[in-house]
Amino acid sequence: MNSLKNSFILLIILGFYVLSCAPTANTDGKNTTEAHFENPVLGGDYPDPSVVRDGEDFYLTHSSFDYYPGLLVWHSTDLIHWTRISHALKEYVGSVWAPDLIKHNNKFYIYFPAGGTNWVVTADSPAGPWSSPHDLKLSGFIDPGHVVDENGQRYLYLSKGYVVKLADDGLSTVGEPVLNYAGWKFPKEWSTECFCLESPKSTVKDGFYHIIVAEGGTAGPATSHMVVAGRAKSPYGPFENSPYNPIIHTEDRSERWWSQGHGTLVDDVDGNWWMMYHGYEKGFHTLGRQSLLLPIEWTEDDWFRVPEGVKSYDKLPNPSGKPSEDGSGLSDDFDKNKLGLQWQFFKDFDTSRIAFENGEIILQTKGENFEESSPLLVNVSDQKYEVIVEFTIDEDVTAGLCLYYNEKGNMRITVNKDRFTVYNRQSAKIRETNNLGDQGFLRILNDGQEVSFYFSANGTDWTRVERTIEASGFNHNVFGEFLSLRAGLFAYGGGEVRFDNFTYRKL
């Protein structure tokens, strides 16, 4: 009797499960399953996101620091699935911080700080071509945010709560910056890095000029960063702070996303509103500040807020209905005979160093040691992954595969005619004799920040080179607050190396 009763209960449970997974009917009669997405929408180091809508299309860019070509531009139709379409900056002007991508009078502009001043590039399409960078000759401020008043006058909001007029063409400033916003004074008891009013962005709606800023410091305690908002009837203020401040904030270090801040508002064609912003994943600062997305609602008295109870770590409704996918797109077989948009050099973007032949990339050496090599890098996006590449080296070349923060902070496996060597920073950990000759395969496995190194004659049978390196110590507290771990290729000495079939695989 008990077994019959248990079977009946099991059938009821299964029935409810089937019903819960069944497609729901749209009003047009088509069946669909309810779709959700989870943050991040751009995994990996894509901080300070700035997004603009143009009709049904969204375009996004973000800080690119010392990686060139810079100002990577992405395209999406739903704010969740993103595709790289161009680089807006190919001339080195310094480390590129928080940009603002906007459209004005059928032209696209990206305003950004770098090298102690502020710059702008322009294009007729986000896919480019983009202009050479134009120096606004505006020093002492960072993170410019574009705003237009009801008369068509253009301005830039600036860090520290300042605003400055722009000329009609947007390529120069008019007059001196003036203070317009003092920010929101968060409680002194909160654990933060600094006050640091920065990254002002603008949304003009229903007669109000909304200013959205970051406060609290971008890479300090887990609870430091936040999104703060105010509104006024003029770009010059006076601004009234939102009663819902902070709009987004990590309240406790037990949460998955730390240092959440730096938000940009955007609406979609259906009238829904969203905020793109960034945060560190708890325990994985090595992935940098990842781009996150939350829905936004407007109150009856014209303030905006995250809906009550909605958190960045929730499964959230997906407006597109398309399932989330692993679309990092970092692998490259080099068959297209051009450098993919996932690649960036460190500081020195020199296209004369690369060529393509027979489906391989030919990389000319740079410098006499790894510090001088300016590696070619991709922005990794997962907690566990492997990278593999096939190599063919010249007689005097040292080449290899690396995980890279900068010249001083890195780990790598090198190959030359004599040996394979694993390095942690500049220290050689162990060497193995090269019995493969001038051709073979290299592999790096990052298993939750425990990194190991391999070589192979055929890409199938691997020899492991000890030691394993623990990578979480390579963080912003040691090497600078804006660094993240990237995977890449390098070559130094004399001559060239041929690389083929670069593979990035999430584990």
Side-chain angles (χ1 to χ4, degrees):
M1 186 69 178
N2 286 336
S3 62
L4 180 63
K5 180 180 178 182
N6 290 339
S7 298
F8 182 71
I9 293 172
L10 179 60
L11 285 172
I12 292 175
I13 293 171
L14 288 172
F16 276 114
Y17 177 78
V18 170
L19 286 173
S20 68
C21 294
T24 57
N26 286 334
T27 55
D28 60 6
K30 296 179 181 179
N31 287 331
T32 183
T33 54
E34 185 178 4
H36 292 81
F37 76 91
E38 290 185 80
N39 282 309
V41 292
L42 275 181
D45 192 37
Y46 300 111
D48 308 321
S50 173
V51 61
V52 63
R53 179 172 68 87
D54 184 29
E56 296 182 350
D57 298 293
F58 300 96
Y59 300 99
L60 177 147
T61 192
H62 45 77
S63 293
S64 53
F65 309 118
D66 278 318
Y67 305 102
Y68 277 77
L71 291 175
L72 178 60
V73 181
W74 301 74
H75 169 256
S76 175
T77 56
D78 61 8
L79 293 170
I80 297 167
H81 306 85
W82 293 92
T83 303
R84 304 173 184 87
I85 60 170
S86 70
H87 282 108
L89 183 62
K90 297 182 178 179
E91 176 185 335
Y92 187 83
V93 293
S95 183
V96 175
W97 294 1
D100 195 23
L101 169 60
I102 63 103
K103 183 182 181 184
H104 182 73
N105 288 345
N106 295 316
K107 186 179 285 291
F108 291 86
Y109 299 76
I110 302 178
Y111 292 92
F112 64 96
T117 183
N118 286 266
W119 307 80
V120 60
V121 290
T122 65
D124 294 328
S125 164
W130 288 87
S131 71
S132 297
H134 186 88
D135 188 355
L136 295 172
K137 302 187 186 307
L138 181 61
S139 60
F141 301 94
I142 58 172
D143 303 358
H146 185 268
V147 61
V148 183
D149 71 15
E150 60 186 1
N151 299 314
Q153 174 63 54
R154 304 172 67 177
Y155 306 83
L156 285 180
Y157 289 151
L158 303 168
S159 61
K160 298 181 284 191
Y162 281 73
V163 63
V164 66
K165 277 187 179 181
L166 282 174
D168 290 343
D169 63 4
L171 302 181
S172 61
T173 59
V174 178
E176 296 297 320
V178 297
L179 184 66
N180 70 331
Y181 179 51
W184 179 70
K185 305 299 182 184
F186 50 81
K188 289 184 177 180
E189 295 77 19
W190 286 13
S191 182
T192 61
E193 182 182 12
C194 53
F195 180 63
C196 296
L197 194 161
E198 57 191 13
S199 70
K201 297 292 183 287
S202 167
T203 293
V204 181
K205 185 178 183 294
D206 298 331
F208 286 108
Y209 294 85
H210 295 269
I211 189 170
I212 303 105
V213 305
E215 292 181 3
T218 192
T223 57
S224 58
H225 216 24
M226 65 193 82
V227 176
V228 166
R231 72 182 187 189
K233 289 292 186 177
S234 161
Y236 287 106
F239 282 89
E240 175 188 10
N241 280 312
S242 170
Y244 302 103
N245 282 338
I247 307 299
I248 293 174
H249 179 224
T250 303
E251 297 177 1
D252 189 272
R253 60 175 174 265
S254 64
E255 296 180 34
R256 177 186 175 187
W257 294 105
W258 287 13
S259 299
Q260 296 177 88
H262 198 114
T264 300
L265 278 178
V266 65
D267 65 340
D268 62 31
V269 293
D270 297 319
N272 303 305
W273 283 82
W274 305 86
M275 180 166 283
M276 291 285 296
Y277 65 105
H278 67 219
Y280 285 108
E281 191 166 5
K282 179 182 179 181
F284 284 89
H285 278 63
T286 54
L287 290 174
R289 290 167 292 168
Q290 305 181 57
S291 287
L292 314 176
L293 180 69
L294 279 178
I296 291 293
E297 65 180 11
W298 290 87
T299 64
E300 292 184 358
D301 52 352
D302 295 318
W303 292 106
F304 66 88
R305 64 185 179 187
V306 176
E308 188 173 354
V310 173
K311 300 294 185 181
S312 56
Y313 46 79
D314 293 337
K315 286 188 175 181
L316 300 165
N318 180 343
S320 71
K322 295 190 298 182
S324 297
E325 56 193 30
D326 182 15
S328 58
L330 298 180
S331 296
D332 199 337
D333 58 14
F334 305 115
D335 288 346
K336 295 181 180 179
N337 292 325
K338 65 178 182 179
L339 198 63
L341 293 172
Q342 68 268 43
W343 294 102
Q344 294 173 294
F345 283 101
F346 184 68
K347 291 186 178 179
D348 182 30
F349 178 50
D350 182 2
T351 56
S352 68
R353 290 186 61 204
I354 54 176
F356 296 88
E357 186 176 271
N358 300 323
E360 297 176 319
I361 185 172
I362 304 170
L363 179 63
Q364 299 291 328
T365 58
K366 179 177 173 63
E368 296 301 320
N369 53 58
F370 181 77
E371 290 186 35
E372 299 172 351
S373 68
S374 185
L376 188 58
L377 304 165
V378 297
N379 197 344
V380 300
S381 56
D382 300 290
Q383 296 179 5
K384 298 182 179 183
Y385 57 88
E386 67 176 1
V387 284
I388 298 172
V389 72
E390 186 175 358
F391 68 85
T392 304
I393 56 173
D394 279 354
E395 175 76 10
D396 297 322
V397 169
T398 297
L401 198 58
C402 64
L403 295 184
Y404 190 86
Y405 285 100
N406 61 14
E407 306 99 315
K408 300 293 185 182
N410 53 74
M411 60 201 82
R412 60 196 185 272
I413 180 170
T414 70
V415 58
N416 59 28
K417 64 180 181 179
D418 299 318
R419 65 182 65 90
F420 297 94
T421 308
V422 166
Y423 287 85
N424 184 1
R425 300 180 175 93
Q426 306 312 307
S427 175
K429 288 300 180 183
I430 198 165
R431 295 178 172 89
E432 296 274 357
T433 300
N434 179 5
N435 293 319
L436 302 184
D438 61 359
Q439 290 181 302
F441 294 79
L442 301 173
R443 175 178 180 236
I444 293 180
L445 174 65
N446 187 342
D447 184 5
Q449 301 180 136
E450 293 186 359
V451 181
S452 51
F453 306 84
Y454 305 78
F455 61 87
S456 170
N458 56 18
T460 302
D461 303 306
W462 296 97
T463 298
R464 183 176 179 179
V465 184
E466 298 291 353
R467 304 286 192 267
T468 297
I469 298 174
E470 210 288 322
S472 63
F474 290 75
N475 58 43
H476 61 272
N477 295 322
V478 178
F479 295 110
E481 64 183 4
F482 297 127
L483 298 177
S484 69
L485 204 56
R486 300 180 184 228
L489 311 171
F490 62 90
Y492 57 88
E496 64 188 29
V497 57
R498 290 174 176 260
F499 288 115
D500 198 4
N501 297 318
F502 176 87
T503 302
Y504 173 92
R505 186 168 71 91
K506 177 181 178 179
L507 301 178

